Amino acid sequence: MGYSNGHKGDAGTLTVRECRTQFERAGSSRHRHARPVDTCTGTFRAERGGAAVEDATVETPAKFEPGTELAVQKTDYRFVMIDEQWIWRSLAIVCVAVCAVVAGLFCLLTGFGSRRGPGFREAWRRVPGGAVVRCVLAGVGGPAALGAGAALLVDGIV
């Protein structure tokens, strides 16, 4: 999320020189298919100044005409196009990670999911700290799950 709100990386523009579509192999060994990936190459100029990067390549949602200027963020390892879809995916990743931490904490506190461990209802009743810890787990995990679902729906992944 640090790239999309400008706390990390260098924001700037990429002036498109050329765009091309490559097909990336995806899927399992039984169900292989090629996914089209559009990339554009051009000159990147940071908003804060500095040297221009001549052969900057970024994955884009579509092909663009030469000369088009794209808002791009230079990360530590590559260039990314900060668009609405990128922001929603980043939010979904953060929310799913919070859900995983809450679920892991619940399992560690109660033994739920272990061999011969309690069922969910029994584990929920046995949470150390009682109602306070249950409220914290539900108060953090619930909104994170809703946020992940909403972000994935808006992004169109689901």
Side-chain angles (χ1 to χ4, degrees):
M1 295 297 291
Y3 293 112
S4 60
N5 58 26
H7 294 297
K8 290 179 75 178
D10 292 324
T13 57
L14 181 119
T15 305
V16 175
R17 185 173 49 241
E18 69 172 334
C19 290
R20 66 176 76 145
T21 301
Q22 296 174 325
F23 290 91
E24 179 182 276
R25 291 256 181 231
S28 67
S29 60
R30 288 186 180 183
H31 303 286
R32 288 199 181 260
H33 62 277
R35 178 179 75 95
V37 177
D38 293 319
T39 57
C40 292
T41 304
T43 303
F44 173 80
R45 287 185 178 76
E47 288 178 1
R48 296 182 192 150
V53 179
E54 290 299 324
D55 290 323
T57 300
V58 65
E59 189 174 313
T60 58
K63 286 185 175 181
F64 293 94
E65 294 295 320
T68 305
E69 291 190 350
L70 304 174
V72 172
Q73 193 83 358
K74 181 181 178 187
T75 68
D76 293 336
Y77 307 104
R78 62 190 182 120
F79 294 89
V80 293
M81 189 170 173
I82 305 295
D83 58 351
E84 189 175 325
Q85 184 180 26
W86 196 87
I87 293 170
W88 285 111
R89 280 193 182 156
S90 298
L91 178 63
I93 289 168
V94 168
C95 289
V96 168
V98 169
C99 289
V101 168
V102 169
L105 198 64
F106 174 73
C107 291
L108 283 173
L109 289 173
T110 63
F112 175 73
S114 64
R115 193 179 298 212
R116 295 187 185 97
F120 180 77
R121 288 184 185 191
E122 179 61 28
W124 188 249
R125 282 189 226 119
R126 289 186 357 185
V127 171
V132 173
V133 175
R134 283 195 296 266
C135 286
V136 169
L137 290 173
V140 173
L146 290 173
L152 291 172
L153 282 173
V154 169
D155 181 38
I157 293 174
V158 177

